[in-house]
């Protein structure tokens, strides 16, 4: 039960670390595209993971530079040096943290060189199972469509069994994680119809390259919607909801909004409940779906980004007024929405405790 | 036509000022609750209004202090001094800028002393015509219910005729202005059903008194929904949409979200269109509703707060995908959502050009 | 006297506008580099200037586009269209708002075509009188050194006589304006020695082009010093202080700091007072230097950026403890530090009231 | 040597945790004033400390509430509950995290009940050794002056020997830590005279109680100096510099500036070097003072707050131009400036590796 899990977490945090650190074999990991924000976040989080050692970090922009050139906070915490190519020699697993299009170009070669390498792709390249969907949402052809069916979509709270033992995992998008966690309990309960979602995002989601949308003089005081109803995370959300429901499920009308903050996804979903539903039943659907899920915190009050920033938690809230239901999900786009979830997936893939190295609070204030 | 209006605005801006300034009688205005943010904004805007002279500014917290004690930006721009009580002697009009509950306590006495005084109330006290609605949404009894029917709800773009010549005007709330301008064209066209709105707001909407929700260490990096589906601006929006439609119209499911910015309302509305509607018809509904409305700018791209902050403009955008329609409205909560609209109402009440003193751009970046 | 000036300002604001607007001939102005932030600010401010009409706006990046493409806040307030080349036909004056290097390339040709054209250069190209200084501080050769001596350095509060009647004016830098206004009274009084200045700046000072230093994810929560002791505004400050003192005067050790805000310069200067100085004498030096200067507000309490943002004011404060003196100057880098001061210079050049079109409060909060 | 230390840190981080976690006895800790920001930060950091277990958390404002009521990020990471009074039963050490005045009221009683209890006071109550100094800087009488001489001032990098084995430690202020680390190498080398410091601070330094100076609408876009030359951290800096120098040393003229960010101290110090000093000698002074200090990172480029936020590092930079030297120190006010340093002190007091539980990177971006 959730409550029990919680009461033990504090002890877990230290024991986990202790027992793991003393058990011998650790996993050797590499990171491709390690100079970006998700690469930096992987390095930050894996620095404290008791069973993973990062051995090789590749970056085409900072070859032969210490990692703290791209990630100044790692100065004194890591003596890794970027290389142009990944040294896959002894690696057990690789995180692909480059942008969309990079993974599909690299994965075939990686698997040719080490057929049993475990891969976790943080881009959108292997999330959609339908080969026709990729060009429609990503405006380019997929160059490795034969691999699509081999990748498992890795949102452990909703499909832990599929991730467990998988070799190749597609890590969900940040909006997708928030929306899927907000809607899966209702999809699982059989609800259908259109959900209206407005979801705010921090600027770190746009990556480390300066651009007009992340220019501080305009971004700092702005709200700006983009790709209304056309964001590329929509098909992966619907694909997952269908899978969770076991049939065609909720459709998602998503309006993403750039907000003047650095980290965070804050998704507000609204829909109308069918007959027979009330607040109690909604609450029960969420409680049963997330029983035993350490990283989903069900709240009685509206979530705040500053309770989750820096952590792997996703805070979820629901409120019912008559037929109307509002669901809000809040997470850190770089942690539960990217690097943290990628590590969580690795934990599950390898049969470890899902929370290994990840059960830390965020930064507040 | 809108286009013509636009081409003349620049000339208008200067000529307006010139002709107005040379014509003799100006209106003498007073401000109650003048030390708050909307009070400061009224002073800032009226400093350049060619036909209004502010004569008396009352504040119970800063009596006998120059206005720049509460409004440091006015130092050198105003030599007014706060008084504890308003000096209503020769006033033609009074802006009530105190919080909810203040206006209903003061209006009866003001009208007793000067029966023909024009009043513009910026609080929620006189917005709802139904006497039973006030206690339901404001958690207190109304102390002057007999005056409710004498107040006109002042959103000039939607009900200019009612405002014109009115003596007593209830100035709309900030969320209400954004939502009503976003939805009125569809209400006017007869649409019904539930609209889902997520609306972000800046911290200045909470007023000048420090509180937990405006504490910088937590607010600066946060998003936080509040009063989901229960915000007190909902009934005034629905009341206005019904009036515009001439029948029961759209119902509004509103989730307000506190955002880490100082100024701005950014409302994202979603609904499903009935048969017979498409993008063209939506566009036409907006174009016809706002023809000749200088302060509503219809955009082809998603709005940005930083295009309207500091100005009296409301930028409105709509997008249609099949049955789905997204409407976004962006405005400055202290200007078009409060003080600017109050002055716009005064202009209309007195038969002046609606834009007098208000046709200035905001601050960008 | 200052006090009198202040008491009349409110009346002045409206009368100025009225009388100016009715007097016939207005000045025809052009703007080069009009798509940048200072260009946008010139357009915003000149929209309300009663005696200046902007006729031509040139931008190489947005030719044939309406100005609101670059300056979205001007939509509905201006129907100007950018042209690739300035249409100098009937212009009386041109503001050069391109970056460093642009002005010196354009000024010779502009003067060839219209020898009596008044020019106000907002870049650093013509600020330093010593031809050897430019390459030392700007890392390039000056291509029009013969014009250096014809330009007057335009900081009206400190050298109004020189600006009055000038044809060519070099508008000071933003750090330079703040530092010069903070230090001139002590330089004028004969003080020498080194002043230590730490000066924070908003991101808008870096211009409209995205770059690593204005990337929101890192800028939003950062402070970062740059060019310590080597900023190119130092020589213009020292040149002006020497001129004000009539002899070699204070030397300035300046550390600029990028701060997580959009607008504002906040300069904190410290030095040791010589014998015979105390708080009273410091206060008197400031009061006498800035008597009658509407835009310099001498404060008794430490300044706040949010009292000046959006306005042409510079707030100045001094504090003495024994031998130690702290002087703080706060201004808006795009207004008093750029576009506002450029218009102030034009007012003085043409013999108008210095405050024409500029005596408005900023935006607060 | 520093370089060696660095190369080992990554290994250290995990081994430290591993070996510590397996060694048996842990220290039982309590926190007084645990609901404030430094209390929350102690809980966040100690959650991962392998040798400390927090047993009791006292808060007068949240008695009987789970810690996540005050610290929402700790939900799911801690099952501690606030009590009104500290349960000192088996505690080995107590962190006093209440405001100024609280510690001196509580310490005598705590020591009466458990004479060997180790105390680390994060307030200013026991920092100044001179009994006359406290009322002068803190505007109240000291109620336990007899204890002043028993407290050791705990800035381990500068006085590790004194902290080692101490029972009672006064944890330095946030400005004091930054200024002392910036200036100690020059003080140790015998420099005297006045140093001019301008130091920016984030809003979390003002604590969890809302106030006018932390009101988001004004703080978010502001810079505002306060207590120029009169901040209460000045005497502790000078006391420490004198101790490091072994004689009267540098005097500090400090201007604190409230900046629009949540976390961080960014101190910019300027002074003139005496004869015989140059860049090389300055660099050597810093290198020798901080050899082996894992938490002081000496940089070749100007520091950025976002490289240290969330971590226990202090980044230090120096630059010399002729006689002029600029030193910049950047740290997180809640970590190295408060809770992190308190834990570092505990590590040293107990003879553990100074970095135990503290060698983690901050959050970037």
């Amino acid at each position: 039960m959730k409550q029990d899990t919680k009461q033990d977490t504090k002890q877990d945090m230290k024991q986990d670390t202790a027992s793991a650190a003393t058990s011998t074999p650790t996993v050797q990991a590499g990171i491709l595209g390690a100079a970006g924000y998700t690469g930096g976040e992987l390095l930050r989080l894996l620095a404290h993971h008791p069973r993973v050692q990062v051995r090789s970090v590749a970056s085409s922009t900072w070859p032969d530079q210490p990692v703290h050139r791209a990630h100044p906070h790692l100065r004194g915490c890591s003596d890794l040096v970027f290389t142009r190519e990944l040294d896959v020699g002894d690696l057990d697993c690789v995180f692909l943290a480059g942008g969309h299009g990079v993974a599909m170009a690299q994965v075939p070669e990686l698997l040719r060189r080490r057929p049993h390498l475990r891969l976790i792709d943080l881009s959108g390249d292997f999330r959609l199972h339908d080969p026709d969907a990729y060009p429609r949402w990503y405006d380019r052809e997929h160059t490795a469509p034969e691999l699509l069916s081999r990748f498992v979509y890795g949102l452990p709270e909703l499909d832990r069994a599929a991730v467990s033992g998988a070799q190749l995992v597609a890590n969900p998008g940040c909006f997708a994680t928030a929306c899927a966690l907000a809607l899966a309990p209702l999809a699982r309960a059989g609800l259908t119809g259109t959900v209206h979602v407005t979801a705010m995002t921090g600027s770190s989601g746009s990556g480390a390259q300066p651009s007009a949308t992340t220019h501080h003089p305009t971004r700092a005081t702005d709200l700006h919607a983009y790709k209304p109803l056309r964001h590329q995370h929509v098909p992966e959300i619907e694909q997952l909801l269908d899978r969770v429901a076991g049939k065609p499920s909720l459709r998602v009308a998503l309006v993403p909004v750039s907000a003047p903050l650095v980290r965070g996804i804050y998704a507000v979903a609204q829909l109308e409940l069918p007959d027979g539903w009330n607040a109690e039943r909604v609450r029960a659907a969420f409680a049963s779906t997330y029983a035993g899920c350490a990283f989903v915190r069900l709240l009685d009050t509206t979530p705040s980004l500053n309770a989750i920033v820096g952590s792997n938690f996703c805070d979820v809230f629901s409120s019912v007024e008559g037929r109307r239901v509002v669901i809000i999900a809040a997470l850190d786009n770089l942690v539960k929405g990217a690097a943290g979830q990628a590590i969580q997936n690795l934990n599950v893939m390898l049969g470890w405790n899902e929370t290994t190295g990840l059960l830390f609070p965020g930064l507040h204030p």
Side-chain angles (χ1 to χ4, degrees), chain A:
Chain A
M1 269 182 35
K2 187 96 195 290
Q3 196 53 28
D4 294 344
T5 308
K6 267 189 193 171
Q7 293 188 339
D8 292 329
T9 51
K10 207 187 159 324
Q11 292 304 85
D12 283 353
M13 282 165 66
K14 295 189 181 182
Q15 283 169 12
D16 215 53
T17 306
S19 62
T22 47
S23 69
T24 26
T26 62
V27 159
Q28 311 297 313
I31 304 173
L32 259 167
Y37 287 154
T38 51
E41 205 65 354
L42 285 165
L43 286 165
R44 177 176 79 92
L45 300 177
L46 291 173
H48 290 282
H49 196 292
R51 309 180 81 157
V52 180
Q53 194 74 20
V54 180
R55 289 291 177 198
S56 176
V57 284
S59 164
S60 54
T61 41
W62 300 90
D64 306 323
Q65 299 287 330
V67 291
H68 66 71
R69 282 298 299 276
H71 308 299
H73 58 317
L74 298 179
R75 183 189 294 263
C77 295
S78 168
D79 53 336
L80 288 166
V81 173
F82 293 120
T83 52
R84 193 176 297 278
E85 304 291 336
L86 201 66
D87 178 6
V88 289
D90 304 315
L91 297 186
D92 302 301
C93 70
V94 171
F95 296 93
L96 294 119
H100 305 313
V102 175
M104 65 185 182
Q106 305 254 10
V107 165
E109 172 64 12
L110 285 170
L111 290 177
R112 206 168 303 129
R113 293 176 59 189
R114 283 179 75 79
H116 299 295
L117 196 61
R118 289 179 196 267
L119 298 180
I120 296 138
D121 176 22
L122 287 82
S123 83
D125 284 2
F126 293 99
R127 292 179 195 152
L128 303 181
H129 304 323
D130 174 1
D132 296 338
Y134 190 84
R136 201 157 64 235
W137 291 95
Y138 287 88
D139 280 327
R140 76 186 89 187
E141 289 304 307
H142 204 290
T143 60
E146 72 284 1
L147 288 171
L148 283 175
S149 62
R150 292 185 54 195
F151 271 82
V152 169
Y153 189 81
L155 212 167
E157 283 81 3
L158 298 180
D159 208 357
R160 199 175 279 105
V163 177
S164 179
Q167 182 196 351
L168 307 178
V169 166
N171 207 56
C174 50
F175 282 120
T177 301
C179 292
L181 291 173
L183 299 174
L186 300 181
R188 217 172 63 128
L191 263 60
T192 57
T194 298
V195 187
H196 295 136
V197 185
T198 298
M200 283 65 79
T201 178
S203 59
S204 60
S206 301
Q209 287 306 312
S211 72
T213 62
T214 56
H215 191 42
H216 183 273
T218 45
R219 177 72 178 242
T221 57
D222 202 18
L223 289 166
H224 180 82
Y226 65 102
K227 300 188 189 171
L229 307 179
R230 299 185 181 188
H231 195 276
Q232 69 274 9
H233 288 180
V234 168
E236 57 177 287
I237 303 167
E238 294 183 346
Q239 169 184 283
L240 180 60
L241 295 179
D242 288 357
R243 179 172 162 89
V244 165
K247 61 169 189 175
S249 180
L250 296 162
R251 300 297 95 183
V252 177
L254 172 65
V255 180
V257 179
S258 295
L261 38 85
V262 176
R263 285 175 181 244
I265 296 285
Y266 198 86
V268 179
Q270 294 198 55
L271 72 159
E272 307 296 298
L273 292 170
D275 284 343
W277 280 80
N278 58 17
E280 190 45 51
R281 189 166 167 195
V282 168
R283 194 172 303 121
F286 279 85
S288 71
T289 300
Y290 298 121
C293 293
F295 295 122
V296 175
R297 302 188 295 198
L298 300 178
L299 307 189
D300 294 329
T301 54
T302 50
S304 282
L305 275 190
N306 60 31
I308 53 86
V309 162
S311 84
N312 200 50
F313 292 107
C314 177
D315 282 357
V316 177
F317 163 87
S318 63
S319 174
V320 174
E321 292 271 321
R323 282 289 168 96
R324 296 174 181 172
V325 60
V326 175
I327 307 126
I328 302 177
L331 55 78
D332 183 322
N333 55 301
L334 294 180
V335 189
K336 182 61 178 165
Q341 183 147 272
I343 296 169
Q344 185 183 350
N345 274 318
L346 182 68
N347 288 342
V348 175
M349 289 159 80
L350 296 173
W352 300 338
N353 185 336
E354 183 181 58
T355 63
T356 308
L358 290 174
L359 208 53
F360 48 84
L363 210 59
H364 175 91

